[in-house]
Amino acid sequence: MAGGRIREKIRRSNLYTFACVRPHADIIEELGSLPDGPGFSRIVFCNQSDLHRRKPLRYGLNNISTTKYNVITFLPKGLFEQFRRAANIYFLLASILSLTSVSPFGAVSMIAPLTIVVGLTMAKEAIEDWRRFIQDMKVNNRKVSVHRGGGVFVDRTWQKVRVGDVVKVKKDQFFPADLLLLSSSYDDGICYVETMNLDGETNLKVKRALEVTLSLDDDAAFKDFKARIRCEDPNPNLYTFVGNLEYGRQIYPIDPSQILLRDSKLRNTPHVYGVVIFTGHDSKVMQNATESPSKRSKIEKKMDYIIYILFSVLVFISLVSSVGFSARTKYEMPNWWYLRPPDSKGLYDPSRPALSGLFHLVTALILYGYLIPISLYVSIEFVKFLQAIFIDQDIHMYDEESGTPAQARTSNLNEELGQVDTILSDKTGTLTCNQMDFLKCSIAGVAYGKRSSEVELAAAKQMARDLEEQESGMTSSDGAFRRSEIELETISTPKWGNDHKPAIKGFSFEDDRLMGGNWLNEPNVDIMLLNFRILAVCHTAIPEQNEQSGGFTYEAESPDEAAFLVAAREFGFEFCKRTQSTVVVRERYPNFGQPVEREYKILNLLDFTSKRKRMSVIVRDEDGQILLFCKGADSIIFDRLSKNGRMYLDATTRHLNEYGDNGLRTLALAYKKLEESEYAVWNNEFQKAKSSIGGDRETTLERVSDMMEKDLILVGATAVEDKLQKGVPECIDKLAQAGLKLWVLTGDKMETAINIGFSCSLLRQGMKQICISTTHIDGTANDSKEAIKEISDILFVSHQAIKESISLQITNASQMIKLEKDPHAAFALIIDGKSLTYALEDDMKHQFLSLAVDCASVICCRVSPKQKALVTRLVKEGTGKTTLAIGDGANDVGMIQEADIGVGISGAEGMQAVMASDFAIAQFRFLEKLLLVHGHWCYKRIALMICYFFYKNIVFGLTLFYFEIFAGFSGQTIYDDWYSLSFNVILTSLPVISLGVFEQDVSSDFPALYQQGPKNLFFDWYRIFGWMGNGLYTSLIVFFLNITIFYNQAFRAGGQMADMSVVGTIMFTCIIWAVNAQIALIMSHFTWIQHLLVWGSIGMWYIFLLIYGALPSTISGNAHGILLEALAPAPIYWATTFLVTFACILPYFAHIAFQRAFNPMDHHVIQEIKYYKKDIEDQGMWFRERSKAREKTKIGFTARVEAKIMQLRTKLQKKQSGAGSNFQSPRSPMS
Amino acid sequence: MNSSGGARKEGGSESSSKKSSKKPKYSRFTQQELPAWKPILTPSWVIGTFIGVALVFIPIGLATLSASGRVVEIIQQYDEDCVPPSYKSNRVAYIESNSTNKTCSTSLIVPKPMKAPVYVYYQLENFYQNHRRYVKSRNDKQLRFKDSANSTKGCDPEATLNNTGPIVPCGLIAWSLFNDTYKFSINSKSLQVSKKGIAWESDQKHKFGSDVYPKNFQSGPFIGGAKLNSSIPLSEQVDLIVWMRTAALPNFRKLYGKIERDLDANQNISVIIQNNYNTYRFGGRKRLVLSTTSWIGGKNEFLGVGYLAVGGISLFLALGFILVYIFKPRVVANSECPSVWS
């Protein structure tokens, strides 16, 4: 310490001498060469944050900013963003040019819409960014208590915290930066941390301070505290930390368990002291944050290509026009005396045809601009806005419990919802409620617990439904066979099920044999007792007394541990107190009046790790007996049973299989009695291992623990249900039927993830599981239990070897899938985070992806937020298909931002996911409606709408061009300016908006229809060019029929000829009729709104003509009185309109009639079924159609039920043939 | 058991009022459940529509064709014939010279009886009345209002006469007014050509002022076409009014007048033409047309043909669909064949 202080004095003096000029060179020198080279160069002077004010040790401040713009950059950057859209650039140019005299239209008609479009979008951006800014400010201005010096702590805002500061964080506060834990209010320097914002897990994690800093446990102790940390540079890796602490001339290694990460929360600990290592954007959680990208839907991107094509057409016809124009101007115009060629200057100067050609090019570009309508963008924005309102207003997506409706936070991606191919889902809080319910147990080979798991219930329901369907549809003999199976399957569905008493959180156990102390009447009471004691003692949880009721709640590392404790409490073994070395359990026996408090002295605690898959405590009970209580994965425990401990092995195994099959999470419980001497010897070795320092400490510890945890006696097993959120299995089933792939990305352990896979039917019996992990030598096995064979050595082999092993595992698995003969075989891929780091490397990721794509379900466990984002990116970029990420926590932000569509679960505590998301829903199950109904509709609506929009503008724009050919390419339009202007504004825009907002092909109950979106049937090039072709055809018909009909012939009874305004008006009438009749043919769903808008638009045209014609001739020009005087009385006007309209839509009509008759699409068939009400009349057929839709799904309930039925049928056949004489009903509880 | 109540977290009853306020209100509109008509193209609809179209279109086509067939039309091109042989090689010089005799005569034979009124048209070809520079070269305000003589915007280079003030009517359209004239006679008996009602009524009433008189018209160095009698208001200058309705195509007819007398078949009408208008410079042609009209207007076979074609195609398609439905039916509302569910 003394030496440190001297060094400190030297440093202090530097502050006032040359150090300001040549800062810290000496300090660096003093530290000597850096130990680990690049990547490990960070040096933190603890409690001397002043040293970090200047280079080279100046690190970033602790303020964060997630905004895209600031006040200065908003305008240029925002405009830049806007004009990255190809169309906007064009509109901008057109607007600029429209200010010059070459423009065929007025400038206002070009500039105003552009300003509106750009202005609105930028305003939207600004508001969103402002919200982000406010949020940042809130975070930056949080207060934390910081050591000011001399042992005094003062409150400071987060943004002013520097690297090296010592901070004191109090209970339930967030850590302001990444800290090194120095000490806590507990003597042993532990503290509990909730990392929900990091990995989505709500369970508490324990952090431990280094022993050497334990003494720094009050404010005054920091007066003279000096230390130095050398560690890794900022990186996004949440679960690792490399560094050491130099304190009092000693060097101590720091590992992740001493690091408190920003955005996690201190829980159950009054306060901790820590020193800031990473601030602001250097912190791990911020390193995990990816910049929120601006997302555009695939349709919109493709629309850009259409714009390019049309732009090329536009340029082409403009060039034709201008070449034609300059040729005419040069060769013919000198003879056109009526134009007074000698007086023509500028635009029409025959002596400079090249120049006038150039001018005319600009004119033409603006003139034919109708091919690329700005109104398209306005309409699309408007339509999407209305679609978003429908999403917001959907009563079926409103969650009564949390009171949150669905929210479309951006309307850009509505149609993308209809094209999703892969869903990447978080688990905790998204699929599950993060609540474990103790449901069943098996004690001494007897199964207890009558309530069925949700999976069982849902499967039973589904099977009953299928039975009904089959009965109506199937032939009788087959039906009878089925029925016998189902009866056999009929489950002890709880009549006493749902609401007969207030549920206890974490406890859904239901069996009178154990409850209310009845367990005393069961055989094997001693085993029972042990079982309950193991539950009550073998854990790391902390009890919390509820002040009002006096009952206990438990803060546990994992929710299943909490469920065990609740269960133990309900059985009469209430865990009520934990000290450093003891656990107190209040035991209640029915024949005793008062509960008995028993104290267990904890001698050792062998932690749970994902590798060990078990935890044990060694306790001394009040009788002085030393006991080892162990709980762990069944396969692990079963391997460690003693000879006489296997009494209940067979029965328990059977029960465990059953539980696992029903989607429950199982653990086996075992114990062993220890002799004092035996224990002493082992403890000696254990303590030695514990105090050893060095790389092999872990291994030694593990080995020593291993020695103890053997020769166990099996007591029983527990089954806990990881409560799925409401409707999740059904939703997954529907999504699977819709052909969507679901990947689960979770921070959880592999076993948990697998269990959840089972309970939401992503995994099922008979599915081949491919487990890829760094701890498995044999990555592929038919059953997870076999797969979990660990070779711990592999963990320690080099990077390269691990990588090779994973590569090998992937290759083997791919091979296996290729060689699979059975077409019904389904594969599931389960991979852990560590393997994923290798699998995501550039050289391996495609191999990994192709394997994953071949599997019916993919589960990634133990993944960091960054990895979630990387996996999402891999899927997105590797498959080129649309991905949707759904999650609820801050740890999902990365993937939510990375995916094509991010969906946040709202209504929960954290808002980060929602803030980053594009859509927010309150429950996973709403995804079904969001995708299959809104998404499907929006996709179709937008696709049809865009196709139609281009169609109608091609029709209109090309007639302008044809007329040019006849008008000497002079740039004259045949239509009155006001017609052109109102074409996209009032005459054709409303029907197309109604198409975009209200079109429905069929109502929602057909998941299989959804595939039209991912396959992009409505916006492929075939269709787009089809519509363009149709537009070309219509424009030709409109123009040339009109020209021919009105060529040199009187059109009125008075002998008057059709002049330009008459021909233009008639032609325009034809266009209005044709495009509106066309949209009526596209629509398949007419509410009064569509009727009003489509037919109203046609009516509007006549009203427009009437009003325009009634205006003074100085405004309406040659259109004055045109309808009333000239057109309406002329039969040829109506006859032409009629003829042209039919001629225009006839091919399309014939096309759709033909298509429906001979090559119907899915929705056609369903529409027909609905139309003929066959779904009501002929139930059997309706079900046949529906079950066809489900056929191919390999995951989800339906697939599971199918598989189960298949399995049962084989069993039944065996039974009937007498081969399987010992066949038992799989769910008879008393076997 | 009851002691376990504390295990549940509090906070379920946070604020129920806030919850209900966020709940979307049910309406058939917001839930997209409005009653709707969902037509689909069943075979009967398809066939019915095609047959219906055929049944409507074919009669209309026939009716229009017969109406068009009743129209009698005489067309006589005269630009070539009216150039004296000595000028054949230099027609532009002939027409642009002030000293040459522009009078010319020709005769028309009435092929079939023509019921009054017989409309007289002049037809110009290769004349770009739809050129942008030409179309824009007018000022509706000036034509309408007496006080707006000075609004000559857009009329350049025929906007003002040097030192004398604005030209009324200004602009190139008026300036290039057609100025050939025709005098008809049958057996030396002159045939009256009425100009009444050849212009649009609304044009005369609302577009050309009855108190606006031609001013400075055709007095500049370049003479375009016809001169106007400056004592007649614009609203009565029907030839100008007709001319100012610019044609859509470079070949166009304009109404010259009407003969309010029946013409018998094989009558020989002699016409004396003042061949003033310079179409020679731009290679245009001039024709004189006499025509009757029917309810669909002039001789217009194409409309009828179009109707017959569309009706015929519909009939054909209807038959096609019927045949296919008979021989290769697809059971509606069944998806046995297609790749629907895969």
Side-chain angles (χ1 to χ4, degrees), chain A residues 328 340 400 1055 1125 1135 1181, chain B residues 23 37 121 128 158 202 307 333:
Chain A
R328 290 261 156 136
R340 291 282 285 272
E400 293 281 353
E1125 191 194 344
M1181 167 187 185
Chain B
K23 181 169 183 167
W37 177 57
Y121 300 96
Y128 284 88
E158 277 298 315
S202 65
Y307 265 98

Side-chain angles (χ1 to χ4, degrees), chain A residues 987-1028:
Chain A
L987 297 177
T988 59
S989 62
L990 295 176
V992 74
I993 285 174
S994 79
L995 176 75
V997 179
F998 302 111
E999 171 68 5
Q1000 299 177 9
D1001 47 0
V1002 284
S1003 45
S1004 51
D1005 48 1
F1006 256 88
L1009 270 192
Y1010 185 78
Q1011 273 302 311
Q1012 292 184 336
K1015 284 186 188 150
N1016 203 8
L1017 290 183
F1018 288 89
F1019 208 62
D1020 54 357
W1021 286 112
Y1022 173 77
R1023 237 167 219 266
I1024 293 166
F1025 284 120
W1027 275 108
M1028 289 185 176

